[in-house]
Amino acid sequence: LLRNPQCLYLWWMLNKENSLPSMFTNQTDLMREFWITIRRKLAAEMNIPSQDTKSLLDNLLEYLDKEGRLDAPKTLTDCYPIARDALCSLNILHSPVSTKIKFTHQTYLDYLIAERIMGQTLTDSETPIGWLRKSDQSLFRREQFRQLLTLLRDQEPSQYLETLSQLFWADGIRFHLQHLALGILRNIIEPTDEECSLISDLLNATNWRKHIIEEVLFGHVGWFKKLIIQQIISDRKSVV
């Protein structure tokens, strides 16, 4: 994980701030703690009202998410100049030209959009699948969706499973996003009973069986052990 330069930077910054999580397994864990630390720093050390930071980020995220862009008109932040300047001083935002503003690294934007959609999902104002359908489902959305699924798995497992089920069975979802979800499932070290149930359903579907075997199960002992314990398969040969 720390071979990734951005992950290494997040780890270094959190360690410097004494905010390193006791356990982290992916970039989303580090990014979540990073934003907790940044928000705390803005409020406690820089005396920026939390509501100003929230409103500023909400304005940016709404525009960038809707337009599928990496930069936004700087005027969207003019109501909160102190919060904007503070985020620039922390190397979170910058203005490449005088009329535009953007995040210094796309992973900041991707995480915040994922966090935003999760919040809307939990308040029933949006669903992950509904959000995808409103966009062009381009490659631009991949990292946002990956972080959204990771957040949901960690914090709202039932919504995570519902989202995966809809993702694989619903119409109008591009395959590269479904393939991304297969990759997330493949990297799970200890699958839950509910994830095994989902895999069982997909193994029984003609259009998904080959993908599940090749993209999720092949070469991953943890999945085979769990599926055998759950009596979903009898042995490895039974899914070949």
Side-chain angles (χ1 to χ4, degrees), residues 153 160-161 164 181-200 203 212 215-230 232-233 236:
R153 186 177 191 267
Y160 155 79
L161 289 162
L164 282 183
L182 293 177
I184 290 175
L185 288 167
R186 178 181 63 244
N187 290 327
I188 293 172
I189 298 174
E190 296 183 3
T192 65
D193 293 350
E194 292 78 11
E195 286 168 332
C196 286
S197 179
L198 172 66
I199 290 298
S200 176
L203 280 172
I212 294 300
E215 302 294 336
V216 179
L217 303 185
F218 185 75
H220 291 79
V221 176
W223 269 106
F224 278 107
K225 285 183 176 180
K226 187 72 173 184
L227 292 174
I228 291 171
I229 290 172
Q230 292 290 313
I232 293 172
I233 61 174
R236 297 189 191 187

Side-chain angles (χ1 to χ4, degrees), residues 124-141:
D124 296 324
S125 59
E126 184 59 282
T127 66
I129 301 303
W131 167 67
L132 285 176
R133 283 177 167 158
K134 290 176 183 176
S135 73
D136 60 1
Q137 298 182 38
S138 67
L139 297 178
F140 179 74
R141 299 294 177 183

Side-chain angles (χ1 to χ4, degrees), residues 97-112:
V97 295
S98 61
T99 59
K100 298 290 185 180
I101 194 162
K102 64 186 297 186
F103 289 92
T104 55
H105 202 284
Q106 187 177 339
T107 55
Y108 298 151
L109 170 63
D110 292 337
Y111 174 82
L112 289 175

Side-chain angles (χ1 to χ4, degrees), residues 35-53:
W35 275 102
I36 290 173
T37 301
I38 290 295
R39 287 165 171 144
R40 184 187 301 123
K41 192 179 189 72
L42 287 167
E45 299 180 22
M46 305 178 76
N47 297 315
I48 308 296
S50 297
Q51 187 57 48
D52 284 5
T53 301

Side-chain angles (χ1 to χ4, degrees), residues 17-71:
E17 297 288 335
N18 294 317
S19 298
L20 198 64
S22 58
M23 184 176 70
F24 59 89
T25 58
N26 52 58
Q27 181 176 343
T28 304
D29 291 339
L30 290 171
M31 191 64 74
R32 179 171 179 267
E33 195 61 42
F34 172 81
W35 275 102
I36 290 173
T37 301
I38 290 295
R39 287 165 171 144
R40 184 187 301 123
K41 192 179 189 72
L42 287 167
E45 299 180 22
M46 305 178 76
N47 297 315
I48 308 296
S50 297
Q51 187 57 48
D52 284 5
T53 301
K54 181 180 184 305
S55 297
L56 169 65
L57 291 175
D58 283 347
N59 284 354
L60 283 176
L61 295 174
E62 183 176 1
Y63 176 86
L64 296 172
D65 185 20
K66 181 180 179 181
E67 300 298 325
R69 294 178 58 91
L70 294 176
D71 61 357

